[in-house]
Amino acid sequence: MSVPAISPTGDDALTVRPGKWTLTVVTLLREETLRFSELRRSAGGISQKTLTITLRELERDGFVQRTMFATIPPRVDYQLTELGRGLLELADNLRVFTVRHRAEIHAARERFDAAGGEPEIVLRQPV
């Protein structure tokens, strides 16, 4: 199965740029509809502003549906759309990749940190 090339004309549909919390939020919405406060509590470490931005981006791209209820206090629920459920495959594959390569990732981080945060320079002669 070949992957289509990204158009040099800048096709907006192909410029989805997931933020640090995107896959976390999508994963949290895997099984159920959650309120903002439940998402924030479950995500742990995400600020209110960052969660708001992440949810808005996911909603804009069609991955999350927001439902508002006219109650006091107002209630807002978030759930994955069918398109959003497709992101779960990406989240699951990333988790599997990370588990499979955990030792290599940690070793690379240790090498980088031991070098004072400077990248390793590899010099090669042209062939």
Side-chain angles (χ1 to χ4, degrees):
M1 176 173 126
S2 67
V3 176
I6 294 178
S7 166
T9 61
D11 186 349
D12 284 348
L14 298 176
T15 58
V16 175
R17 290 180 215 86
K20 175 181 177 182
W21 292 98
T22 301
L23 294 180
T24 299
V25 170
V26 168
T27 302
L28 289 171
L29 292 171
R30 173 191 303 271
E31 298 294 330
E32 59 187 330
T33 299
L34 294 173
R35 297 175 73 174
F36 184 91
S37 59
E38 294 170 325
L39 275 167
R40 187 164 179 220
R41 190 172 32 255
S42 297
I46 189 170
S47 71
Q48 181 172 336
K49 179 181 178 181
T50 300
L51 180 56
T52 298
I53 291 168
T54 301
L55 287 167
R56 289 281 167 94
E57 288 173 352
L58 287 167
E59 184 180 6
R60 180 175 185 258
D61 288 339
F63 299 124
V64 167
Q65 178 182 353
R66 176 175 45 148
T67 305
M68 296 171 48
F69 297 90
T71 60
I72 298 178
R75 177 178 157 191
V76 180
D77 287 351
Y78 296 90
Q79 66 186 25
L80 290 180
T81 62
E82 280 305 309
L83 185 60
R85 293 196 181 290
L87 277 180
L88 287 173
E89 183 179 346
L90 176 62
D92 292 341
N93 286 336
L94 181 60
R95 184 187 55 77
V96 168
F97 175 87
T98 303
V99 168
R100 185 177 297 143
H101 298 283
R102 180 174 289 154
E104 295 165 79
I105 294 167
H106 285 293
R109 288 178 180 172
E110 287 174 9
R111 281 191 308 275
F112 187 85
D113 293 345
E118 293 295 322
E120 180 181 339
I121 298 173
V122 179
L123 297 175
R124 301 198 193 276
Q125 294 296 324
V127 204

